[in-house]
Amino acid sequence: MSKPVWIDTQATAHPGSAMAPATVFRNRAQAGRALASELLQLGLQGRVVVLALPRGGVPVAAEIASALGAPLDLLLVRKIGAPFQPELAVAAVVDGSPPELVVNEDAAGLPGVNDAWIQQQLPAALREIERRRGVYLAGRPPQPVEGATVIVVDDGVATGTTLRAALRALRRRRPARLIVAVPVGPRATMVGLSDEVDQVVCLLEPRPFRAIGLHYLDFHQLTDDEVRAALGTAQPG
């Protein structure tokens, strides 16, 4: 994926979106309701499943699932951060057999980032995925997605590495249609993700893009209890 080159300094809404430029979301729930409004206009037919990337994507996805009357489930993926900046994704791994690993090629040349570093971080990432499965889902079987329209939701996208890994793993489960829905993300990343899915719905594409949290009044780190509470709103499959 090429690095983005921005040509202006104004935040811009996604084409066709009802969101105004320079929008700041009150919180993840309000962002989810705004996304749900856009998704309802698509007139989706057949079985729809909403999958959230925990933690931040869960309250966003809960609003979407409620509006669409769709079941809510998790797509378990773990970012591998750079040694000097853990929030900078150099790779991401999705639980599966075998696990799906996607490397951010733009970060491959950064100091300390190489195959050995990534392989060293893999066991901890997979352990965290397994921990989240137990804590959040408590043995609940995953929602079947084969033949369904699947909407993958997060609270925002930066590099897209984590989301790309999740999408590639999800394709192996043979959904009929795959949609990404996020409140905010950089234009170049969203264009890159469009190669992985059938449709991208992104409400806000700031130029230049700096950080997801700048576009929320409340962007606190969610607790496990908050994630479980949001999942408790899930519709039966």
Side-chain angles (χ1 to χ4, degrees):
M1 183 173 58
S2 60
K3 294 182 179 179
V5 178
W6 302 122
I7 59 174
D8 62 58
T9 59
Q10 298 298 313
T12 58
H14 187 274
S17 170
M19 301 296 292
T23 297
V24 176
F25 304 105
R26 289 193 299 276
N27 50 36
R28 292 177 176 91
Q30 188 263 327
R33 290 191 292 272
L35 272 173
S37 177
E38 295 291 322
L39 290 163
L40 283 168
Q41 295 181 39
L42 299 181
L44 301 175
Q45 301 295 317
R47 176 171 163 81
V48 177
V49 178
V50 180
L51 299 181
L53 273 70
R55 297 177 183 172
V58 177
V60 183
E63 296 290 339
I64 293 170
S66 177
L68 298 181
L72 171 64
D73 205 351
L74 299 183
L75 190 54
L76 292 166
V77 58
R78 186 67 175 169
K79 174 175 62 181
I80 296 175
F84 58 90
Q85 189 177 347
E87 289 303 311
L88 175 61
V90 300
V93 60
V94 185
D95 193 25
S97 183
E100 183 84 15
L101 178 69
V102 175
V103 177
N104 179 6
E105 299 298 337
D106 289 343
L110 295 174
V113 177
N114 51 38
D115 287 342
W117 165 259
I118 292 171
Q119 291 299 321
Q120 184 181 356
Q121 307 308 308
L122 267 179
L126 289 171
R127 284 195 300 271
E128 176 61 14
I129 285 174
E130 192 60 30
R131 184 197 74 83
R132 291 186 175 194
R133 182 192 304 283
V135 170
Y136 300 152
L137 299 178
R140 189 176 74 186
Q143 286 287 335
V145 300
E146 184 173 353
T149 294
V150 179
I151 304 172
V152 178
V153 181
D154 206 352
D155 56 8
V157 177
T159 66
T161 300
T162 303
L163 186 53
R164 188 181 298 273
L167 294 170
R168 290 181 180 177
L170 184 57
R171 279 290 188 194
R172 296 202 302 254
R173 294 164 61 184
R174 294 179 292 186
R177 185 179 182 189
L178 195 50
I179 299 172
V180 163
V182 294
V184 59
R187 176 67 174 169
T189 297
M190 306 318 299
V191 169
L193 288 171
S194 68
D195 294 335
E196 306 284 345
V197 298
D198 300 293
Q199 190 162 5
V200 173
V201 178
C202 180
L203 299 178
L204 192 65
E205 295 172 348
R207 303 185 182 187
F209 179 86
R210 294 188 176 89
I212 295 169
L214 293 177
H215 302 282
Y216 287 85
L217 294 178
D218 176 5
F219 196 66
H220 71 278
Q221 183 171 337
L222 296 175
T223 66
D224 288 343
D225 286 342
E226 287 176 297
V227 172
R228 284 193 295 265
L231 285 171
T233 68
Q235 298 287 328

